[in-house]
Amino acid sequence: MVLTYRDGEAFPGRIGTTLKDSIPAWPTGPKAQAGAPNVVLIVLDDVGYAQLAPFGSDLDTPNISQLAKRGLRYRNFHTTAMCSPTRACLLTGRTQHTCGIGGITDLAMGFPGFNGRIPKSCGFVSEILRQQGWATYAVGKWHLAPSDELHAGANRDRWPLGQGFERYYGFIGAETNHWAPDLVMDNTIISPDFPPDYHMTVDLTDRAIGMVTDLRAVDPDKPFFMYFALGACHAPHHAPRDYIDAYAGRFDEGWDVWRERTHQRQLDSGLLPADTTLSERPEWVQEWATLPAEEQRAYARMMEVFAGFLTHTDVQIGRLVDFLERSGELDNTVIMLLSDNGASAEGGPHGTFNENFVFNGMPHDLETTMRLIDTLGSADSYGHYPWGWAYAGNTPFKRWKRETHEGGIGDPLIIAGRGVHTASSAHRPDSNIRHQYVHATDIGATILDLCGVELPPILNGVAQEPLAGASFVESLADAGAPEHRTTQYYEQFACRALYHEGWKAVAFHPMGIARYTEADDPRRPFEADRWELYHVAIDPSESNDLAVAHPEKLRALQDLWWREAGINNALPLHSDRGFAVGRPHSIRQRDRYELHQGAAPLSEDVAPNTKLRNHTIVANINIDAAGSHGVVLAQGGKFGGFSLWLRDSIPRFTYNFAGVESHEITAPSQLTPGPHIIAVEMRSQKGIAMHATLRTDGVTVGEMNLPRTSLLRFALAGEGLCCGYDDGTPVGDYGSPFPYSHEIERVVIDVTGEPYTDLVDDMERAWITQ
């Protein structure tokens, strides 16, 4: 009989009746084969197909360009059109709907393909490699945990350390402020003091380098898998001023001219088939030449901010690659660099100083944006460029992020390092281009193949779903390697597409209030959506619709879409996904919340819902004889939120609407030393207005009408509900965290009554009120 340790490893010794006739042996633990490769997977966020220099851009990305020269450009790489779904595909090798991540985790629905919880039957590449002897590190954006499990009391099973990573440093949600991010180290929410010149991308790079340095200090041979997922270049677009100013005047000719020149560079470099047409600019994207001069200057500046952000990111990627080279790791490392979806149009037609408008279903405030244009990129902004630049960033494709035309799903992919045998030549600039059709699920399968590791049928006691991805390792060495993928379905916000053997059928469906024309009605029947047909093998820009010419081909691809959608849990179709409306909470919801000083922030998904809802905040505090100051309770920050706070023992209540307008009640006098009760009563009014009353010890000391209040979110991620301090950016006229200087006995939030949860009506209500 073969004896084993309790973890299943065979015991190679012998156990006799006494020590004398026994042979000892020790468990060795997993160990990778000698010479096994390191893998670094670099994921950019919201970077379009044409925004990197190796894919036609004139933006300055010299380090990424050098990486491409060392390796390969995959010009036919595809994602899911959104961040969480793509990341699930990359890290598991399964489709996003099989993983339950049909959309971003914040917009979960109660169906298997959309519930926001990756099942353990979809084991992560990180867990597989960890068990085979790799060190596994994740740095940067996660956005793969349920949005109601992003708090200090959460189950950590779906945080990075619960999915096979041994170390983690980054932000756990969808996005964050790059100047003052909300950060997690391993399984702990942290609140560091940020130095004046802090930028998160620099910090993340330092941490990535530090993790490898720590490993090599104790083990010179162990291979590592590094998931380096930057927040760049997702909004908010934040960059040091000198990087932004370096682009002054570069975009003054506008997005139409930029698209044409970029497309020509793509053709000249051999990236695209020689007869690829530049897709026509749609009517809802403004013609640059017709814009007023003031708007042209503003929109050009917004693109300067984005470009500076990307170049700053390129510098940090260069730092990481240089470190790998100096430390002798590079020759044994495979580097994959890609973006998670097409360029984002969430800035709307005019761009914005505060992206959070879109998460409240409200149009961006153009007047305020124009007034604050010189602050864009700084800590005083939370900006996003207009959708004309998103369209240009996806050259030569149609549409953008969230949609299944090529502008949403066509993305850059660069692979360099070990096992990559072809490099570009000055005589043949296209010699490092690969044309094989690649999908995000193929990345996970290829990483396992490169590492010589197979998917186990059972992982941690759970039977595993088969990989949907297929390895494309052959094409790393052979440009003529056969296609490894012939069919791929797509679904995002009920936009649908099906690729099969060089052909693609695609249908657009309007998403909620994202309406580009009068005909864009999200309530129209899905069967009324018009399907288009393209021979993308020769028409990658989807410029020649063949639906009328080849109705049989279109019908066959539509039927194949329905088959693939059924197999992969991509149904039901739904375009009005809200913030997990109706989802049973992981924490019991209640009418009365009691908070205590210094507790970790509560994310919006688990904090009491006070928006458009009658509620009362009551705080028992103590005032010191020398005076007291600081935040008693705050949620949100500079770009939307509220704060109950004191300065010089005087209570104040500040309400910040989306960074556009701030209203404040200030008590008329100081509180005397000793215990006091301060309270705020909020009452819902017509539209999105509310009325606020400030009381001290039961006496009304001030009140105000708030004509506009936040509808759905103060922020998509971070800037949670804090007792005794204000994390991230400050709501009021103080510097965060501005902790309360003395004792807070407790703060009670009473939200007795039914919350307002009609999402579609909420959004319509906001539009009417604006």
Side-chain angles (χ1 to χ4, degrees), residues 242-295:
D242 54 338
Y243 282 86
I244 298 170
D245 289 347
Y247 281 96
R250 288 267 294 268
F251 306 105
D252 288 355
E253 292 180 282
W255 47 65
D256 292 321
V257 170
W258 194 90
R259 285 187 78 224
E260 292 169 359
R261 292 176 178 169
T262 299
H263 181 235
Q264 190 59 54
R265 285 189 292 268
Q266 292 172 329
L267 296 176
D268 292 344
S269 70
L271 182 71
L272 300 172
D275 55 354
T276 300
T277 302
L278 179 62
S279 63
E280 184 178 354
R281 175 178 48 79
E283 62 180 12
W284 62 85
V285 175
Q286 312 96 300
E287 181 182 2
W288 184 268
T290 66
L291 291 170
E294 181 187 26
E295 290 189 29

Side-chain angles (χ1 to χ4, degrees), residues 486-637:
T486 58
T487 304
Q488 181 61 47
Y489 83 97
Y490 297 89
E491 185 279 332
Q492 196 58 246
F493 287 99
C495 294
R496 290 145 281 163
L498 193 287
Y499 168 84
H500 183 65
E501 297 180 348
W503 290 79
K504 180 183 175 185
V506 58
F508 167 76
H509 189 87
M511 294 164 283
I513 61 169
R515 305 170 191 175
Y516 309 132
T517 70
E518 290 295 325
D520 286 338
D521 185 354
R523 293 163 293 191
R524 77 184 182 205
F526 295 112
E527 55 269 23
D529 293 336
R530 189 176 74 82
W531 282 81
E532 304 158 27
L533 177 68
Y534 300 101
H535 193 187
V536 290
I538 60 175
D539 178 25
S541 63
E542 300 172 325
S543 295
N544 185 18
D545 185 358
L546 301 174
V548 174
H550 297 284
E552 299 85 2
K553 170 68 77 173
L554 177 60
R555 173 52 59 188
L557 295 187
Q558 287 175 295
D559 291 344
L560 187 53
W561 186 89
W562 284 105
R563 184 176 77 88
E564 290 291 305
I567 292 171
N568 290 283
N569 285 333
L571 299 173
L573 293 174
H574 187 46
S575 64
D576 287 326
R577 301 174 193 168
F579 286 100
V581 172
R583 178 180 61 193
H585 273 261
S586 57
I587 297 174
R588 177 177 58 86
Q589 295 295 284
R590 51 207 186 274
D591 291 334
R592 183 179 181 276
Y593 292 73
E594 184 170 315
L595 304 179
H596 293 274
Q597 192 169 6
L602 292 183
S603 64
E604 291 203 47
D605 284 86
V606 295
N609 176 19
T610 61
K611 300 174 188 70
L612 300 181
R613 183 179 182 184
N614 294 344
H615 64 277
T616 303
I617 300 167
V618 179
N620 294 74
I621 65 172
N622 282 283
I623 299 296
D624 187 74
S628 295
H629 61 269
V631 172
V632 175
L633 187 75
Q635 184 172 14

Side-chain angles (χ1 to χ4, degrees), residues 256-514:
D256 292 321
V257 170
W258 194 90
R259 285 187 78 224
E260 292 169 359
R261 292 176 178 169
T262 299
H263 181 235
Q264 190 59 54
R265 285 189 292 268
Q266 292 172 329
L267 296 176
D268 292 344
S269 70
L271 182 71
L272 300 172
D275 55 354
T276 300
T277 302
L278 179 62
S279 63
E280 184 178 354
R281 175 178 48 79
E283 62 180 12
W284 62 85
V285 175
Q286 312 96 300
E287 181 182 2
W288 184 268
T290 66
L291 291 170
E294 181 187 26
E295 290 189 29
Q296 288 184 345
R297 175 79 285 272
Y299 303 159
R301 184 58 175 176
M302 291 176 187
M303 186 58 189
E304 292 166 13
V305 172
F306 176 87
F309 191 16
L310 182 58
T311 296
H312 180 257
T313 303
D314 177 84
V315 170
Q316 309 317 312
I317 291 171
R319 287 179 56 221
L320 177 59
V321 175
D322 288 347
F323 161 77
L324 294 174
E325 187 165 33
R326 291 194 315 273
S327 60
E329 301 285 350
L330 193 58
D331 289 343
N332 193 44
T333 301
V334 181
I335 299 176
M336 299 179 169
L337 182 145
L338 54 90
S339 180
D340 61 353
N341 46 244
S344 170
E346 288 156 353
H350 307 294
T352 179
F353 82 100
N354 182 6
E355 187 209 18
N356 285 321
F357 273 88
V358 74
F359 306 127
N360 284 286
M362 295 183 291
H364 294 299
D365 189 310
L366 177 59
E367 180 181 349
T368 304
T369 295
M370 298 295 283
R371 178 168 50 83
L372 298 176
I373 199 69
D374 289 336
T375 71
L376 291 182
S378 75
D380 292 324
S381 71
Y382 206 88
H384 200 307
Y385 58 20
W387 62 26
W389 288 118
Y391 203 80
N394 295 325
T395 299
F397 302 141
K398 288 184 176 179
R399 296 190 181 265
W400 37 52
K401 174 184 176 181
R402 302 186 301 181
E403 300 171 14
T404 55
H405 282 74
E406 290 296 293
I409 63 175
D411 282 288
L413 168 64
I414 295 169
I415 303 181
R418 176 173 157 169
V420 180
H421 302 300
T422 304
S424 62
S425 162
H427 304 292
R428 284 285 310 278
D430 63 339
S431 62
N432 73 336
I433 295 172
R434 294 293 187 263
H435 299 275
Q436 288 84 355
Y437 195 95
V438 179
H439 186 260
T441 55
D442 301 330
I443 297 295
T446 301
I447 290 173
L448 293 178
D449 195 2
L450 285 166
C451 294
V453 173
E454 294 184 357
L455 171 71
I458 297 177
L459 186 65
N460 296 331
V462 180
Q464 293 295 290
E465 293 279 352
L467 292 176
S471 173
F472 55 92
V473 162
E474 286 187 44
S475 67
L476 296 179
D478 180 7
E483 292 281 353
H484 64 282
R485 174 168 298 285
T486 58
T487 304
Q488 181 61 47
Y489 83 97
Y490 297 89
E491 185 279 332
Q492 196 58 246
F493 287 99
C495 294
R496 290 145 281 163
L498 193 287
Y499 168 84
H500 183 65
E501 297 180 348
W503 290 79
K504 180 183 175 185
V506 58
F508 167 76
H509 189 87
M511 294 164 283
I513 61 169

Side-chain angles (χ1 to χ4, degrees), residues 597 629-631 724-726 735-742:
Q597 192 169 6
H629 61 269
V631 172
Y725 64 100
D726 185 349
S736 290
F738 199 40
Y740 188 67
S741 58
H742 296 94

